[in-house]
Structure formats: C-alpha cells, structure tokens
Amino acid sequence: ALYRKKTYDFAKSIYVVASQQNLHFQQLFHVLQKMGYEWYKDCVHIPFGLVSLEDGTMSTREGKVVFLEDVLKRAIEKTYAIVKEKGVNEEIIDETAKTVGIGAVIFQELSAGRIKDYTFNWDKVLNFDGETGPYVQYTHARAASVVRNSGLETGKISVEELNMDYLSSESAYELIKLIYRFPEAVIEAGEKYEPSVITRSIVDIAQGFNKFYHDEHILVENEEEKKAKVMLTYAAQQTIANGLGLLGIKAPERM
C-alpha cells in the first residue's frame, strides 16, 4: 500500500480480490489508519464471488483450473462456426469471430452480480441466445446498417432540426427513455463498482431498439420522418457502443 501511494500518488487504490479476503483488507486498511495515513480512506477492497467448476471448487494447488486463454480460444472457435453458418462476409469472418467470441465471455462474466458465487459452465459461457453479448453486438451492427443505408450524415444533424412528432409511438418513446437513463446507469455502476448495471442497461436498450425496428418503418420516403427515426437509431447505436466500450467489448459495425 505504501509503495502504491509513493509510486502513483493515487486518488483511489482498488483491490479486486475474492470475498474470502474481506477480513484481510479490513485489517490492512485499519493498520494504515493506525499508522496515521489519512489516505487509508482512499483504499477500497472490491470483493467478488467464488468461481467453482461443476465437479468442485477451483484449486491451483490441485491443478483444478480453467485458463482464460482456453476459454477465449473455444469461444472464438464456436463463434466462427456460428457466423460462417449465417453467411458472414468471408473478408471479415475471422475478425467477427474474435470480436464476438471474446465479447461473449466478457459480457457473461460481467452480467452477473459481482459478489455472487457461480459455477463455471462451458455451455452457459458460450451461449449465444438471450440476453448475451452477441445479441447486443448484433443489435449494434443492425442499427449501424440502418444508419449507413439512410445516406444521412448523422454527425452533422442537430437535435433542433428534428421533428419529434415522428417519434411519438410507444416503441420510440420507450427507447428514448432507456437511452436517457443510460448515464444514470454508468454513475450507479461506478458508485457500486458493479459492471452488471451497465450490461443490464444496454440489454434493455438493445431490446428497446429491436422493438422499435420491428414496429416502425425507419427508412421512409418522408425526409423529415426518416431523419427523426434515423437519428434515434443512431442514438441507440452510439449508446450501445459506449456501454460495450466501458465493458472492454468491441462494437462491430457489421456482422
């Protein structure tokens, strides 16, 4: 702790260590306080739950471990088979498999509550259905495709130009509310040191956009209506990309 403070002069020193070490860190921080270091208050222990294998608890001493490298390799291989079957462009299939496969593992690991114990299961980690990383990434790619096909330069369109009357449907209104609440989710995740708040938020936004996408015709003839709907699509795309970025996951433009 002293080395960290002297070397980095941190604003906050975060120890991400399993919950079994709770007492150790309480003692460490109390010792720092007793030594007269006011910055003991800037040291934080972020505990997380126990990861077990289906046949028992992991143990490095007993050799009962699953290595992250093996998980990522298997995830990429499984994803490659899936995207090849779906007919993904051969030029981007390798990059897509890597982006989606690694994203699936990260999203799975961060979507459960941090403190919860869980059992490592290959099928669950590599499940590509439901509220998963690939679902969110695919939604981002779908939104990006709509924006591309619109022919609009979204970066040059201001909110003041939009006719919001065209965004009065229930699905549009719900999507706008979900996007509006995203910054609150980021703040909450930071305050609680809880990434799952962000995964939940972007899953909700992805589901909200897909409902809007299915309920509404976005690329319509009416330019004012198209502009409003495309900009809402762009807002959803950007918000999902921001959320994935905070989790360390790439947001593919095409899938």
Side-chain angles (χ1 to χ4, degrees):
L2 293 170
Y3 170 83
R4 287 182 174 206
K5 185 63 180 176
K6 181 180 179 181
T7 305
Y8 304 108
D9 192 23
F10 55 75
K12 187 177 291 186
S13 183
I14 299 174
Y15 297 83
V16 184
V17 184
S19 56
Q20 294 97 320
Q21 303 298 325
N22 284 349
L23 177 60
H24 166 78
F25 283 102
Q26 289 170 9
Q27 291 172 331
L28 168 62
F29 301 156
H30 194 65
V31 167
L32 290 171
Q33 181 184 12
K34 287 285 190 183
M35 293 173 72
Y37 295 111
E38 280 299 308
W39 48 264
Y40 82 92
K41 292 177 288 188
D42 302 326
C43 296
V44 185
H45 173 216
I46 307 300
F48 57 86
L50 183 68
V51 182
S52 301
L53 297 173
E54 289 176 293
D55 59 352
T57 305
M58 285 197 197
S59 172
T60 51
R61 290 172 187 164
E62 297 175 17
K64 295 169 63 176
V65 295
V66 172
F67 293 104
L68 179 60
E69 185 177 4
D70 295 334
V71 176
L72 297 180
K73 283 180 179 177
R74 186 162 172 182
I76 293 169
E77 289 168 4
K78 182 178 176 69
T79 308
Y80 185 92
I82 293 171
V83 295
K84 190 174 180 65
E85 187 179 320
K86 291 182 179 295
V88 169
N89 188 323
E90 288 290 335
E91 293 179 9
I92 62 170
I93 191 169
D94 289 330
E95 183 61 28
T96 300
K98 185 176 181 180
T99 297
V100 177
I102 293 174
V105 175
I106 296 174
F107 200 91
Q108 168 65 29
E109 294 303 299
L110 299 182
S111 59
R114 167 173 52 77
I115 201 65
K116 290 182 180 177
D117 294 346
Y118 80 97
T119 301
F120 183 91
N121 176 280
W122 279 108
D123 292 333
K124 187 174 181 181
V125 170
L126 302 180
N127 183 4
F128 288 78
D129 298 317
E131 299 174 355
T132 63
Y135 170 77
V136 175
Q137 287 175 312
Y138 179 76
T139 302
H140 176 272
R142 168 180 277 175
S145 175
V146 172
V147 173
R148 275 196 310 274
N149 293 333
S150 73
L152 296 174
E153 292 187 66
T154 50
K156 296 182 179 180
I157 300 173
S158 66
V159 175
E160 290 74 23
E161 295 177 53
L162 304 181
N163 186 340
M164 295 299 181
D165 291 342
Y166 292 114
L167 300 177
S168 57
S169 69
E170 183 180 344
S171 60
Y173 183 60
E174 286 302 315
L175 178 56
I176 290 168
K177 285 199 296 183
L178 289 167
I179 294 170
Y180 177 77
R181 291 179 190 143
F182 177 71
E184 296 175 8
V186 175
I187 292 169
E188 182 184 348
E191 290 176 344
K192 295 181 177 179
Y193 306 101
E194 185 56 86
S196 65
V197 177
I198 292 176
T199 65
R200 179 71 262 164
S201 179
I202 56 178
V203 164
D204 289 344
I205 292 169
Q207 291 174 336
F209 170 73
N210 283 322
K211 188 173 191 318
F212 171 70
Y213 178 85
H214 286 111
D215 290 354
E216 302 271 343
H217 187 39
I218 299 172
L219 302 181
V220 295
E221 292 295 324
N222 184 320
E223 280 298 315
E224 288 297 302
E225 181 180 353
K226 182 174 84 167
K227 187 184 288 185
K229 290 180 175 178
V230 168
M231 287 305 288
L232 177 54
T233 299
Y234 178 63
Q237 176 200 343
Q238 188 61 56
T239 308
I240 290 171
N242 289 343
L244 288 172
L246 287 171
L247 300 172
I249 301 172
K250 292 183 178 179
E253 296 282 324
R254 291 177 170 83
M255 276 179 68

